[in-house]
Amino acid sequence: MNESTMKELMNRIETENIPMNVAFEVTYKCNLHCVHCYQESQAEADLTTDEIKFIIGQLADESCMNLVITGGEPFTRTDIFDIAEYAIAKGFLLTFLTNGTLIDKHIVLWIKALRRADLQISLYGTTAEKHDTITQCSGSYERTIETVRLLHQEGIPFHVKTPVLSLNIHEIRDIIEFCHKLGIKHYHDPMLIPTTKRNKRPLKYRLSDEDLRAYLEMDLTDVRRRKDIWRHWINQIDKMTAYKAGMCGAGRRLACISASGRVYPCNSLRLEAGNLRLADFHSIWHESPLLKKLRSLTGAEFAQCNKCRFMLLCERCPGQAYLEHGDMLKPPIEYCRFNQMIYDVITSEG
């Protein structure tokens, strides 16, 4: 696809609000109990196989292309193979978000045969002691590492993801080195959020100011890639007299569907747009008052953020703002701290 065609496609996605990327939380169940997890247990029953297939068909009708299969832990569902194969047949590109502990040789070969599926596997440390402390499940490290090795041996593309917590900050370099030696892509992210019910329990594992600065000063891939970008915007800060916060793709080109069929603008902005057990996706996506309101935002509504001198640096998340304050228009506190620290780190380098 050439640049002109890509621009035309992206313009159509933006102007027509095409839900290109949908995260489908196919289950509330998980075999681990990670200390930082934002999901809360629910009394509602998971969607059935037929209900999920029916919804996937509706997503295909809306021109959705990328389907993220998540949970809970998606591989706790015995019908996950049927669901994934149906989605592939409908033309979707799949990404599984998984802890990797339930994937064996048979499943690895099945994933390889799918061809149009990517995996993102959570790894929290390079030792069982550290990893299992975070998952609160003995033996989870060994099972996850075995899955990583099986996928690597079969040449299946996948990514290792690491939430950066106060519990594992000192193992991040070792995790990166482990992935580098195997030629595996690795992502790490220090942004922890409250739970879906706005419980702030996970936030006690956020990095201290000292650790956050040390993290940003590390010679990490993300920092190297973004330093020049950050430095450019920092140089512009004092030249800007006005700048409006932008709205992300939530409810515009992104959506999230819960295991019980509730539709949200994204996985962190847990404001319900509708329920797929009561209405079809087309009606919810095009007629929901909530989604219409999101799409009408111009940026002027983010009044506090628009006064901030670090707005140019910020990738503000309305979902995180909602989970922190109950108001998506307020500044997400952790982003404020993060951007101040970026500024301090970059400017201290000269």
Side-chain angles (χ1 to χ4, degrees):
M1 186 180 296
N2 60 42
E3 185 177 350
S4 175
T5 304
M6 178 60 74
K7 285 183 178 179
E8 184 179 337
L9 174 62
M10 292 306 298
N11 183 61
R12 183 182 166 220
I13 290 168
E14 293 291 338
T15 56
E16 298 181 23
N17 299 309
I18 296 173
M20 284 290 293
N21 301 288
V22 174
F24 205 147
E25 300 169 349
V26 295
T27 184
Y28 291 120
K29 301 181 184 71
C30 187
N31 59 319
L32 303 182
H33 308 282
C34 298
V35 297
H36 62 289
C37 185
Y38 71 91
Q39 288 286 16
E40 293 263 21
S41 59
Q42 304 285 341
E44 298 173 308
D46 288 352
L47 295 163
T48 66
T49 310
D50 288 342
E51 285 177 319
I52 289 177
K53 285 183 175 181
F54 186 55
I55 292 168
I56 288 173
Q58 294 176 52
L59 295 177
D61 291 341
E62 291 297 315
S63 300
C64 176
M65 290 182 62
N66 301 306
L67 193 61
V68 178
I69 305 295
T70 182
E73 169 51 51
F75 286 97
T76 60
R77 288 194 69 123
T78 57
D79 60 355
I80 192 65
F81 311 104
D82 191 15
I83 290 169
E85 289 168 6
Y86 183 80
I88 291 288
K90 283 289 185 178
F92 287 95
L93 299 173
L94 297 187
T95 299
F96 292 98
L97 303 190
T98 174
N99 59 48
T101 60
L102 301 177
I103 297 176
D104 57 18
K105 179 73 170 182
H106 169 74
I107 296 176
V108 166
L109 294 177
W110 170 77
I111 293 169
K112 187 175 185 179
L114 285 179
R115 295 182 181 275
R116 297 178 66 186
D118 184 26
L119 278 88
Q120 295 184 13
I121 296 181
S122 299
L123 181 64
Y124 303 110
T126 53
T127 63
E129 179 183 9
K130 186 64 65 180
H131 182 93
D132 293 359
T133 294
I134 293 171
T135 65
Q136 301 188 91
C137 183
S138 178
S140 61
Y141 174 75
E142 295 300 334
R143 295 198 296 274
T144 295
I145 289 297
E146 177 61 19
T147 295
V148 167
R149 296 193 186 282
L150 283 172
L151 292 167
H152 179 65
Q153 288 170 7
E154 292 297 328
I156 298 172
F158 70 101
H159 303 79
V160 166
K161 289 174 55 181
T162 303
V164 184
L165 289 67
S166 59
L167 297 175
N168 68 355
I169 176 62
H170 301 297
E171 293 204 10
I172 298 302
R173 282 187 182 277
D174 293 335
I175 295 172
I176 293 172
E177 183 62 24
F178 168 78
C179 292
H180 178 72
K181 285 180 178 178
L182 292 178
I184 301 168
K185 291 183 179 179
H186 176 258
Y187 299 108
H188 40 86
D189 185 1
M191 288 289 182
L192 300 184
I193 63 174
T195 70
T196 55
K197 294 181 180 179
R198 300 187 52 229
N199 187 307
K200 295 186 179 180
R201 180 181 63 251
L203 304 191
K204 66 182 179 181
Y205 299 104
R206 279 178 172 171
L207 300 182
S208 65
D209 287 349
E210 181 181 358
D211 281 343
L212 179 58
R213 184 178 184 107
Y215 167 77
L216 291 172
E217 288 176 340
M218 284 185 199
D219 190 21
L220 302 177
T221 304
D222 266 0
V223 175
R224 284 203 303 269
R225 186 174 66 245
R226 298 179 62 182
K227 267 187 178 177
D228 288 343
I229 298 173
W230 286 337
R231 188 173 285 109
H232 167 76
W233 289 119
I234 284 171
N235 289 337
Q236 302 302 312
I237 283 175
D238 294 327
K239 301 176 185 177
M240 299 294 290
T241 56
Y243 184 80
K244 282 198 302 186
M247 183 62 191
C248 66
R252 300 172 185 236
R253 59 182 183 275
L254 309 176
C256 174
I257 300 171
S258 77
S260 56
R262 299 181 186 275
V263 178
Y264 303 105
C266 78
N267 65 318
S268 57
L269 188 52
R270 306 301 276 206
L271 293 169
E272 186 175 332
N275 190 323
L276 290 165
R277 280 177 163 154
L278 303 175
D280 61 82
F281 185 83
H282 179 87
S283 298
I284 294 170
W285 188 251
H286 294 284
E287 298 173 16
S288 162
L290 168 68
L291 297 182
K292 287 182 178 180
K293 178 182 177 181
L294 281 176
R295 294 163 190 164
S296 71
L297 296 178
T298 64
E301 299 83 359
F302 303 103
Q304 288 178 264
C305 289
N306 290 332
K307 297 174 184 177
C308 177
R309 69 190 300 253
F310 299 126
M311 192 61 242
L312 283 167
L313 296 176
C314 194
E315 297 176 356
R316 76 175 309 283
C317 174
Q320 179 143 326
Y322 171 73
L323 293 176
E324 286 182 350
H325 307 291
D327 184 351
M328 67 177 178
L329 300 180
K330 287 188 174 181
I333 295 170
E334 186 67 349
Y335 279 72
C336 301
R337 184 171 76 112
F338 192 77
N339 290 317
Q340 176 68 62
M341 195 69 72
I342 291 172
Y343 180 84
D344 291 346
V345 169
I346 297 297
T347 55
S348 69
E349 291 183 347

